[in-house]
Amino acid sequence: MVVRGRQPRDRGKVQVVNVVTVRPYGKDWKAALPSEVEAQIDDLMEGRHIAVAMRPSAGPVPAGHEATAAALPAIVELLSTAEKSLNEGRCDDYYGKQMSPNFRRVTGKKALEALVASCQRSMGTRQLLLSTLHIVRGLEPRYENEGQRAVYDLSGQGLPFQTFSLEQVDKRWYVAE
């Protein structure tokens, strides 16, 4: 079932569209909880804390570790463009223009076509990608490879992966994976 959630007018204009699984329950139908929500509920019940991004201290960074820093303007622009592509259902643009050329090079043509098709057909897949971009916008990346790679720690965010990476190729930022 496709559902649309809207905030009250006095709280903004954010709208969420999602696919919800419904299951028979006696003579009725009931919505099944998404696995991400179940994981968050389990974390809360077990007393585990959800990780929150924090600003780095002004102290020195130990050798071998790299500090987090605010996202560069080019990264913010990439995230905005990627979000716009997905909101408009242009999955071919997302995978063809915002995904790294390195990713496209190592991903087979049929696999890439399957990713685009899945994104276009499945609102749930698109919403997962959009949720990831939305969460990443509020976090600070850890820069690696002499500032050529930005890695976001997504542990505890209810997503099916722990990190999200961007990389700079020929002075332009792309989604790496």
Side-chain angles (χ1 to χ4, degrees), residues 9-120:
R9 288 186 181 155
D10 60 330
R11 295 208 176 160
K13 295 183 180 182
V14 175
Q15 292 186 26
V16 177
V17 177
N18 208 343
V19 176
V20 176
T21 302
V22 291
R23 295 199 171 125
Y25 186 80
K27 294 182 179 181
D28 295 324
W29 290 84
K30 299 282 182 175
L33 285 176
S35 58
E36 295 88 6
V37 173
E38 285 182 6
Q40 288 177 350
I41 291 170
D42 288 343
D43 284 344
L44 291 171
M45 289 175 63
E46 295 294 323
R48 293 185 293 252
H49 297 285
I50 297 174
V52 177
M54 298 176 64
R55 293 205 178 275
S57 66
V61 176
H65 294 82
E66 299 188 34
T68 61
L72 299 170
I75 289 176
V76 173
E77 183 180 333
L78 165 66
L79 295 173
S80 296
T81 305
E83 191 172 355
K84 183 178 178 188
S85 293
L86 291 170
N87 274 326
E88 294 174 358
R90 292 184 288 119
C91 298
D92 52 339
D93 280 356
Y94 177 78
Y95 283 102
K97 296 178 181 175
Q98 282 92 45
M99 287 299 288
S100 169
N102 296 329
F103 174 84
R104 293 191 309 261
R105 186 177 329 115
V106 298
T107 305
K109 182 180 178 185
K110 289 192 184 233
L112 201 52
E113 289 171 357
L115 287 170
V116 171
S118 172
C119 175
Q120 289 173 335

